[in-house]
Amino acid sequence: MLGKIAPGFDQPLDVLLACHGRFEKQCATLEKLLVHLRDHGSDAEAQQAARNILNYFDTAAVHHHDDEERNLFPLLERAGQGEWCEVVELLTGEHDDLAQLWRILRPPLQAISQGETVVLNANHTERFIALNRSHIAFENARVLPLARQILSAADLQSLGRAMAARRGVNYPTSA
């Protein structure tokens, strides 16, 4: 009835997993927006969808990639004794590709959010969605499960504290 309660930063891998679900929701909204714009233009519904997408990818997605690149990936490389270097390089490269695509998509989305009639490039949009989905699928299937196996409790606490600090919230304390 109340819905699922979001994990706290004392469960940082679960926070990352939940964030992946929100990435997917925003990608689905972006996918629907492509069709909606063709049929209805930059109406109120399109404007709100564009604002939601902008808000997510300008803030939460940036924090999420920072969580991984600045905190999770170095922990994985250290705990995995270097065997993670190639995977981390691949994932970081995908983050760079996503950021580049976002820089292309952001201006038309911003115009749509303000009611302007613009064309959202379907090729760039579909590439952005596809790369997000494949990236998330790989992290959910390979990275997070292995992180659960190889990271220590101290590593997880360090990760969670950094994630909370990045967002300006307090890390949960034990009672």
Side-chain angles (χ1 to χ4, degrees):
M1 182 179 204
L2 296 176
K4 188 175 180 182
I5 296 173
F9 290 105
D10 56 339
Q11 300 170 335
L13 299 178
D14 291 334
V15 171
L16 293 173
L17 182 63
C19 192
H20 288 169
R22 289 187 290 280
F23 267 92
E24 176 53 43
K25 286 180 184 176
Q26 294 303 320
C27 285
T29 300
L30 188 53
E31 209 166 40
K32 291 174 190 170
L33 182 59
L34 267 177
V35 174
H36 185 90
L37 287 169
R38 184 187 67 227
D39 297 339
H40 305 283
S42 296
D43 65 0
E45 191 175 340
Q47 291 171 42
Q48 185 60 53
R51 282 191 292 274
N52 292 344
I53 293 164
L54 284 162
N55 183 52
Y56 187 79
F57 284 104
D58 280 348
T59 55
V62 173
H63 288 322
H64 179 83
H65 288 174
D66 284 347
D67 293 338
E68 292 178 344
E69 291 180 18
R70 294 181 183 188
N71 304 105
L72 177 62
F73 294 167
L75 289 170
L76 291 174
E77 287 177 319
R78 191 184 77 234
Q81 315 236 334
E83 64 193 52
W84 274 87
C85 290
E86 192 172 308
V87 172
V88 165
E89 188 175 323
L90 169 77
L91 294 172
T92 302
E94 288 181 354
H95 286 175
D96 292 343
D97 293 343
L98 287 164
Q100 182 178 3
L101 286 166
W102 179 244
R103 283 190 294 276
I104 294 168
L105 291 174
R106 192 179 189 289
L109 284 168
Q110 196 163 29
I112 292 163
S113 77
Q114 297 168 356
E116 296 177 32
T117 301
V118 297
V119 174
L120 193 55
N121 183 298
N123 183 44
H124 289 131
T125 304
E126 290 165 0
R127 282 183 52 215
F128 182 75
I129 292 166
L131 183 54
N132 265 297
R133 286 179 172 159
S134 66
H135 183 84
I136 290 165
F138 180 79
E139 287 186 350
N140 287 351
R142 298 274 321 276
V143 176
L144 295 178
L146 198 52
R148 290 182 198 284
Q149 291 177 355
I150 68 173
L151 295 182
S152 69
D155 289 335
L156 293 172
Q157 185 178 52
S158 172
L159 175 60
R161 285 185 181 282
M163 290 168 65
R166 183 167 290 115
R167 290 158 181 83
V169 299
N170 292 325
Y171 182 81
T173 57
S174 300

